[in-house]
Amino acid sequence: MKFFVDTADTAEIADLAATGLLDGVTTNPSLIARAGRDFLEVTREICALVDGPVSAEVVALDHAGMLREAEVLRKLAPNVCIKVPLTVDGLKTCKALTGEGTMVNVTLCFSANQALLAAKAGASFISPFVGRHDDNGFDGMELIRDIRLIYDNYAFATEILVASVRHGVHVLEAARIGADVMTAPPAVIRGLFRHVLTDKGIEGFLADWAKTGQSI
Ligand code: G3P
């Protein structure tokens, strides 16, 4: 499963990229607002920090406006992935852009039927929001299971990008189901490295090593 980080904080992205485990980045207008930086400038900078796809979201709601914004965004770097909302105009834009070879991430997916439409529109990635689904009394991971089943039934190439990930259990379940990608905030990714028994084990080994009086 590929790991994307869901942030526009370049310091966090650079730090995680240094682990060699980061496969891409996702941003959205809220994350850009949180970063407090110029959208085009920060997106260009993020694209230089990772080799993989960097999702940059359009804000126009109509097809012509989305195409115009995508034109600006895709000039930033070859690894820009245009993010469009799951609407009629968003999917029209997806079809047009992927037809020209541009990567597209269809976002704000909350049903398996929406994911089916995105795959038919040639989406490179579909982003079902599991955390927001859970928040509203639905089962986010059940949605991922349904999409996996449908995409496998028809051998769709669209990658399932599990978004709105809130904790390690979402990551574990996504991997069990066979999702292609998950995107999570930096803190959630950092949390995956940690285990109390790992810390305790290191502490014990170092205490015993000190008793030997040796060095390597
Ligand atoms: O980038 C899309 C998605 O991951 C947003 O997550 O936590 O705002 O629901 P969240």
Side-chain angles (χ1 to χ4, degrees):
M1 187 165 70
K2 291 175 208 163
F3 276 32
F4 290 2
V5 66
D6 200 28
T7 186
D9 181 329
T10 51
E12 289 275 24
I13 295 166
D15 202 48
L16 286 166
T19 64
L21 301 177
L22 193 63
D23 302 297
V25 178
T26 50
T27 67
N28 61 39
S30 305
L31 294 170
I32 296 294
R34 201 175 303 158
R37 300 204 30 208
D38 177 78
F39 180 31
L40 300 186
E41 182 190 277
V42 77
T43 304
R44 198 179 290 113
E45 206 173 305
I46 294 169
C47 287
L49 290 172
V50 292
D51 294 329
V54 174
S55 290
E57 191 160 341
V58 297
V59 287
L61 294 177
D62 63 299
H63 177 55
M66 286 183 193
L67 281 181
R68 189 184 46 75
E69 291 177 0
E71 199 47 42
V72 174
L73 296 173
R74 69 178 170 183
K75 281 195 190 122
L76 293 175
N79 55 335
V80 164
C81 175
I82 307 298
K83 206 171 179 187
V84 299
L86 209 153
T87 59
V88 172
D89 285 64
L91 292 189
K92 248 171 97 174
T93 305
C94 172
K95 182 90 181 161
L97 291 175
T98 53
E100 293 170 3
T102 298
M103 274 188 293
V104 176
N105 177 358
V106 177
T107 189
L108 290 166
C109 170
F110 292 94
S111 82
N113 279 339
Q114 288 182 317
L116 176 58
L117 291 171
K120 285 174 68 65
S124 318
F125 301 99
I126 182 68
S127 290
F129 279 27
V130 293
R132 292 192 197 185
H133 215 54
D134 292 352
D135 292 345
N136 285 278
F138 300 99
D139 183 344
M141 297 320 298
E142 195 55 39
L143 174 60
I144 304 303
R145 255 178 233 109
D146 281 347
I147 300 172
R148 179 75 284 158
L149 177 74
I150 292 166
Y151 281 13
D152 288 350
N153 280 349
Y154 298 99
F156 282 123
T158 301
E159 293 188 52
I160 302 172
L161 194 171
V162 180
S164 186
V165 163
R166 301 277 163 77
H167 45 68
V169 178
H170 277 151
V171 179
L172 178 64
E173 280 299 304
R176 280 185 175 143
I177 295 165
D180 303 285
V181 193
M182 74 89 202
T183 190
V188 172
I189 297 181
R190 288 186 205 292
L192 301 175
F193 288 87
R194 288 194 294 269
H195 196 287
V196 62
L197 293 179
T198 304
D199 296 342
K200 214 174 150 192
I202 289 173
E203 204 182 296
F205 285 156
L206 289 186
D208 289 339
W209 179 247
K211 290 177 205 156
T212 72
Q214 299 180 51
S215 63
I216 300 171

